[in-house]
């Protein structure tokens, strides 16, 4: 259904630690399940991207947590990469997801930046060491907390024995009160907003374009591809007309990202009908729940 809708890529967030033993050996049944899902995506003709996603917060970018986290990143990615070493390059690996000190959304300290950049290096080194198709597989690293400004200001691309095989990933959920904060009263967005009392000032179309331009200059124009690995806005159907603004936001973010040389990947976490949610498909039937929104996303890159 995803392929038929016109999408070309599926990002598969994977949790590993809860399926590993005390020595970080990944359970064989879980590895088989991840392999099955990757195979389903590839059989459908989609690019697939897997990562280390949410595991309870062990990947803290601090000196205190660094040694354990580095060892776990290496051990997990060695097992994952060996399992998939014969898969072709329609499978991509992304090392991490939104690395930050839990609860700290501020500008990262020099310590946080150094450790997080080190996580990216551990990932690349571990994967390349497994050989096979992993020697040249495209790998995706992230900026600090996938925040555009932190990425532009602080990201250091890892050393890589393969040439031109690294990508940078950021996410975009601005303004938070419109996209994700279910307690917020902000349900209008963009140039078409009619009530300034229910919109967040300063985060309109021009702001998004300016943020994406930063990524274009710092990475795309330097030959480093950029993945916009997550973006979405939640339903707020308690407000008549809110869906029009959600559609406008999704369309603009996807289109502007594409125009600035980035590959947009929408965040569909499954739930689609209830408030708040941002899913697109019925996960049981594959039916499109929001065909207009899906069309806007797909057409943004045409």
């Amino acid at each position: 259904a995803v392929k038929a809708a016109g999408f070309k890529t599926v990002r598969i967030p994977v949790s590993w630690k809860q399926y590993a033993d005390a020595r970080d050996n990944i359970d064989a049944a879980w590895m088989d399940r991840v392999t099955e899902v990757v195979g389903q995506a590839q059989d459908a003709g989609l690019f697939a991207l897997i990562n280390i996603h949410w595991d309870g917060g062990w990947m803290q970018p601090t000196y205190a947590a660094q040694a354990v986290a580095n060892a776990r990143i290496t051990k997990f990615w060695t097992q994952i990469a060996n399992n998939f070493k014969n898969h072709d390059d329609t499978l991509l690996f992304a090392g991490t997801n939104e690395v930050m000190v839990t609860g700290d959304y501020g500008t990262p300290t020099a310590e946080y930046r150094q450790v997080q950049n080190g996580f990216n290096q551990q990932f690349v080194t571990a994967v390349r060491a497994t050989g096979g198709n992993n020697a040249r597989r495209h790998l995706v690293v992230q900026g600090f907390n996938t925040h555009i400004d932190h990425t532009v200001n602080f990201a250091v691309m890892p050393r890589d024995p393969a040439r031109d095989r690294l990508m940078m990933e950021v996410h975009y959920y601005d303004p938070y009160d419109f996209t994700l904060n279910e307690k917020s009263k902000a349900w209008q967005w963009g140039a078409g907003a009619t009530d300034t009392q229910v919109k967040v000032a300063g985060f309109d179309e021009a702001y998004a374009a300016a943020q994406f331009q930063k990524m274009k200059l710092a990475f795309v124009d330097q030959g480093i591809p950029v993945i916009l690995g997550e973006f979405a806005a939640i339903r707020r159907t308690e407000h008549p007309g809110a869906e029009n603004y959600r559609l406008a936001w999704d369309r603009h973010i996807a289109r502007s990202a594409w125009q600035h040389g980035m590959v947009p990947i929408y965040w569909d976490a499954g739930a689609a009908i209830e408030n708040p949610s941002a899913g697109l498909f019925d996960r049981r039937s594959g039916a499109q729940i929001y065909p207009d929104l899906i069309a806007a996303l797909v057409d943004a890159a045409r």
Side-chain angles (χ1 to χ4, degrees):
V2 171
K3 173 67 173 179
F7 294 102
K8 297 180 179 180
T9 300
V10 60
R11 178 172 177 259
I12 305 169
V14 187
S15 180
W16 299 98
K17 180 54 184 170
Q18 63 180 321
Y19 299 103
D21 65 19
R23 296 185 176 181
D24 293 329
N25 297 302
I26 298 168
D27 180 73
W30 182 244
M31 186 70 82
D32 288 345
R33 174 58 178 155
V34 176
T35 304
E36 179 183 24
V37 174
V38 168
Q40 290 170 338
Q42 291 187 303
D43 288 345
L46 293 164
F47 284 84
L49 189 155
I50 60 173
N51 67 358
I52 292 178
H53 207 74
W54 175 247
D55 284 304
W58 59 263
M59 201 185 296
Q60 297 291 300
T62 63
Y63 293 145
Q66 185 176 24
V68 171
N70 278 346
R72 184 167 292 151
I73 289 168
T74 295
K75 187 155 187 177
F76 280 172
W77 274 114
T78 298
Q79 294 172 81
I80 299 163
N82 275 320
N83 181 76
F84 289 105
K85 69 192 303 180
N86 294 323
H87 280 61
D88 66 23
D89 204 27
T90 60
L91 172 63
L92 292 79
F93 299 156
T96 61
N97 180 71
E98 297 186 355
V99 173
M100 58 177 282
V101 174
T102 301
D104 185 349
Y105 291 90
T107 301
T109 65
E111 173 186 352
Y112 300 168
R113 303 193 303 260
Q114 179 185 8
V115 176
Q116 186 266 334
N117 281 319
F119 291 164
N120 285 335
Q121 184 65 64
Q122 291 291 131
F123 157 63
V124 172
T125 301
V127 171
R128 295 296 185 227
T130 61
N133 289 340
N134 294 329
R136 288 179 55 79
R137 185 178 309 284
H138 280 88
L139 304 180
V140 182
V141 297
Q142 292 190 332
F144 192 91
N145 197 23
T146 62
H147 187 285
I148 288 177
D149 288 333
H150 299 338
T151 301
V152 169
N153 292 332
F154 307 124
V156 176
M157 296 302 294
R159 300 179 304 278
D160 186 10
R163 183 177 178 181
D164 298 332
R165 287 293 186 272
L166 295 184
M167 301 181 180
M168 178 58 70
E169 179 182 353
V170 291
H171 298 167
Y172 190 83
Y173 289 108
D174 289 334
Y176 168 74
D177 281 345
F178 174 79
T179 61
L180 294 180
N181 186 0
E182 61 190 88
K183 298 179 180 179
S184 168
K185 302 300 183 182
W187 59 272
Q188 292 189 13
W189 174 86
T194 60
D195 186 348
T196 58
Q197 300 301 310
V198 293
K199 68 168 288 188
V200 182
F203 292 92
D204 289 354
E205 292 87 345
Y207 176 84
Q211 289 297 95
F212 298 158
Q213 178 68 6
K214 294 177 184 178
M215 293 301 297
K216 181 178 185 297
L217 293 174
F219 295 97
V220 177
D221 289 352
Q222 309 308 314
I224 302 169
V226 174
I227 288 177
L228 184 63
E230 292 183 21
F231 69 102
I234 60 174
R235 285 167 49 88
R236 300 178 187 273
T237 54
E238 69 273 22
H239 304 290
E243 284 292 271
N244 293 328
Y245 296 102
R246 183 165 80 119
L247 175 62
W249 187 90
D250 283 333
R251 176 189 289 115
H252 178 76
I253 299 309
R255 180 177 295 163
S256 185
W258 184 257
Q259 290 171 339
H260 288 86
M262 303 164 67
V263 177
I265 303 178
Y266 182 85
W267 178 251
D268 178 341
I273 299 298
E274 64 273 14
N275 290 343
S277 62
L280 302 175
F281 294 88
D282 184 315
R283 289 295 179 96
R284 294 181 182 274
S285 68
Q288 296 185 20
I289 297 177
Y290 302 104
D292 290 346
L293 204 162
I294 289 171
L297 295 170
V298 172
D299 290 345
R302 288 179 176 168

